[in-house]
Amino acid sequence: MERIGIYGGTFNPPHIGHMQAAKEAIAALGLSHLLVIPDRIAPHKEIPQGSPTPQQRLEMLSLAASDCPRMEISDIELNREGVSYTYQTIQELKSIYPDAELVLLMGTDMFLSFHTWRNPEIILKNASLGVFYRGEKGEAAAIEARKAEMEQQGATVYLVKNPVVNISSTQMRRLLAFRCAGEFLPEGVLDYIREHHLYDTRAPWKNLPMEQLEQVVIRLLNPNRVAHVLGCRDTAVKLAEHWGADVTDAARAGILHDITKAIDGPLQLTLCDAYGKLLSDFSKRYPKTLHALTGSLVAERIFGENKAVVDAIESHTTGKANMNTLEKIIYLADYIEPNRTIPGVEELRRLSYTDLDAAMKLGLEMTLEHLNRQGAEVSPESREALAWLDSAK
Ligand code: FE
Ligand code: FE
């Protein structure tokens, strides 16, 4: 019997993770072909600026799949009016391919919540399930158990081991905005994206007026970080006024300081790679701390910020020796902005307005203590900063 795979998703944009998974499924399950079906994005959902039209998603998918003759792109869901459910798609496909075995592909999260879908029994009557799993600890047991349970009730479930690039489309869109998504996109797709000015890949973001800068930054942050970033900007401005530093630089560094914070640890390394930065051993061990470096690179190259702003962003997490006033201000504003509730922050707030160096020293010591408690390493930059503050006394 002919076996046909069904692979749905928003594919916004289609990336190599999708394509590798698709090829893996074709090989592992011996699929005669694979239907790739982009979802309709509900019209009530807020669509971010630079988003592709449904037609453009189809075209990108066709480009992505161009080296794989067994992949076929289907507009079956895009053409449906109103809410679209998977069971409807499966029924429709079953009527087109009555003699084939349909295999509906999905990730582990989807599989584990499958019973909550609309009419799962109709899906199982008309199709088998193909579950991508990465074989991580803890994951396997839950999946095996669910598979056994479903098979007892007559379903067919295949597991497809997929050691693949695990990258979300949201992350992908951020990398595109930072112009470093190339290695994750199938040949042709990146060119298409650039040509059609999608996903901010060609947005003119150099020297934006403050208000526009803020809007762009907010779009690129995780929503739960926005309050912190705005708080940091306001605090940086107050400190700059108090200590006679450049208020505009303080505001811009404050708003941009965590611009790459939403990029996952391993992808921080990608950013550094794309921007040609060699990394210290410490940052390879602690890629999360890299957001300060990558943030400064993005501030410089994507937003065209001046050196003072760029340097202040770079040292905001660890500090460093010989910090200037703006650098101290950004380091401290990040620490004391109104949303911070860390023990000891009140004293740090007070010191920040009376003795910048003493505040820096206290901030660094608090970080050191915190890292020690966690058994984490202290960065060489922080040690150098403390040594410098001690010697200056
Ligand atoms: Fe930060
Ligand atoms: Fe921060």
Side-chain angles (χ1 to χ4, degrees):
M1 188 166 44
E2 196 187 19
R3 192 182 269 174
I4 300 173
I6 299 162
Y7 186 20
T10 51
F11 303 106
N12 183 21
H15 54 69
I16 55 160
H18 297 128
M19 293 304 125
Q20 284 182 16
K23 287 176 187 168
E24 202 72 40
I26 290 172
L29 301 174
L31 302 176
S32 55
H33 62 284
L34 176 69
L35 296 173
V36 181
I37 308 182
D39 302 341
R40 200 157 165 269
I41 296 177
H44 61 265
K45 256 197 182 174
E46 203 189 310
I47 295 172
Q49 224 177 311
S51 294
T53 62
Q55 184 57 33
Q56 287 176 324
R57 279 191 292 140
L58 279 177
E59 286 170 13
M60 285 191 284
L61 270 171
S62 301
L63 288 167
S66 59
D67 66 335
C68 186
R70 285 206 238 168
M71 265 187 240
E72 197 180 298
I73 316 303
S74 161
D75 60 2
I76 181 171
E77 294 215 350
L78 294 180
N79 289 332
R80 199 177 289 145
E81 282 298 316
V83 199
S84 180
Y85 291 107
T86 305
Y87 82 92
Q88 298 170 307
T89 305
I90 295 291
Q91 281 180 313
E92 199 173 330
L93 291 172
K94 192 66 189 176
S95 69
I96 302 172
Y97 305 102
D99 300 322
E101 179 192 8
L102 302 178
V103 184
L104 177 63
L105 299 169
M106 62 188 69
T108 50
D109 293 349
M110 293 296 232
F111 177 59
L112 292 173
S113 66
F114 181 73
H115 56 284
T116 67
W117 293 18
R118 185 70 64 108
N119 296 331
E121 66 290 345
I122 296 183
I123 298 175
L124 293 176
K125 203 176 87 191
N126 292 294
S128 311
L129 303 187
V131 182
F132 292 118
Y133 79 116
R134 286 188 296 277
E136 282 157 5
K137 273 185 243 155
E139 182 196 37
I143 291 172
E144 292 285 354
R146 183 59 62 81
K147 170 172 151 61
E149 194 184 306
M150 287 173 74
E151 283 181 336
Q152 253 177 15
Q153 293 160 11
T156 306
V157 179
Y158 305 109
L159 298 184
V160 181
K161 186 104 186 239
N162 179 36
V164 156
V165 196
N166 180 25
I167 173 172
S168 72
S169 290
T170 315
Q171 289 280 335
M172 202 60 237
R173 292 195 292 273
R174 291 197 179 105
L175 291 182
L176 276 160
F178 300 147
R179 325 284 205 262
C180 59
E183 68 176 281
F184 298 103
L185 292 167
E187 219 177 307
V189 173
L190 184 62
D191 291 341
Y192 183 96
I193 287 173
R194 284 195 184 131
E195 205 175 297
H196 292 83
H197 295 240
L198 300 175
Y199 306 112
D200 301 316
T201 40
R202 290 174 58 169
W205 282 348
K206 291 232 158 98
N207 309 308
L208 286 179
M210 193 59 190
E211 226 169 274
Q212 273 168 271
L213 178 64
E214 252 176 64
Q215 286 166 9
V216 170
V217 168
I218 288 172
R219 190 140 53 83
L220 292 166
L221 292 171
N222 265 337
N224 63 10
R225 186 150 297 270
V226 171
H228 162 68
V229 163
L230 296 178
C232 180
R233 175 206 53 194
D234 294 345
T235 304
V237 166
K238 274 189 216 153
L239 286 170
E241 282 165 349
H242 185 85
W243 293 107
D246 189 302
V247 173
T248 306
D249 284 353
R252 296 182 81 89
I255 200 85
L256 280 165
H257 82 284
D258 276 343
I259 186 68
T260 59
K261 183 88 178 186
I263 302 284
D264 294 338
L267 292 176
Q268 293 286 345
L269 301 175
T270 301
L271 248 162
C272 290
D273 237 24
Y275 287 12
K277 271 279 165 185
L278 291 177
L279 293 178
S280 66
D281 289 341
F282 177 83
S283 33
K284 282 185 202 155
R285 285 197 296 280
Y286 292 91
K288 261 280 161 193
T289 62
L290 272 174
H291 79 274
L293 173 63
T294 57
S296 74
L297 293 167
V298 164
E300 181 183 11
R301 307 206 193 166
I302 305 294
F303 293 97
E305 296 300 325
N306 67 32
K307 188 170 182 324
V309 170
V310 169
D311 288 350
I313 294 173
E314 186 178 349
S315 57
H316 88 261
T317 311
T318 58
K320 63 177 178 185
N322 305 310
M323 291 172 86
N324 63 31
T325 305
L326 183 68
E327 288 161 354
K328 291 174 195 167
I329 284 174
I330 297 302
Y331 179 92
L332 289 167
D334 184 33
Y335 226 132
I336 65 170
E337 61 88 13
N339 298 285
R340 296 285 202 195
T341 54
I342 326 146
V345 74
E346 282 309 329
E347 173 62 5
L348 195 58
R349 281 195 182 114
R350 191 189 63 77
L351 269 182
S352 294
Y353 289 92
T354 52
D355 185 340
L356 262 189
D357 284 346
M360 274 307 301
K361 193 163 156 20
L362 178 61
L364 286 160
E365 282 166 356
M366 281 164 63
T367 304
L368 238 72
E369 218 187 285
H370 173 74
L371 292 174
N372 281 336
R373 266 200 310 271
Q374 289 194 322
E377 262 176 279
V378 176
S379 77
E381 288 79 5
S382 296
R383 290 191 188 289
E384 285 157 23
L386 267 176
W388 165 64
L389 287 165
D390 281 337
S391 71
K393 260 204 296 195

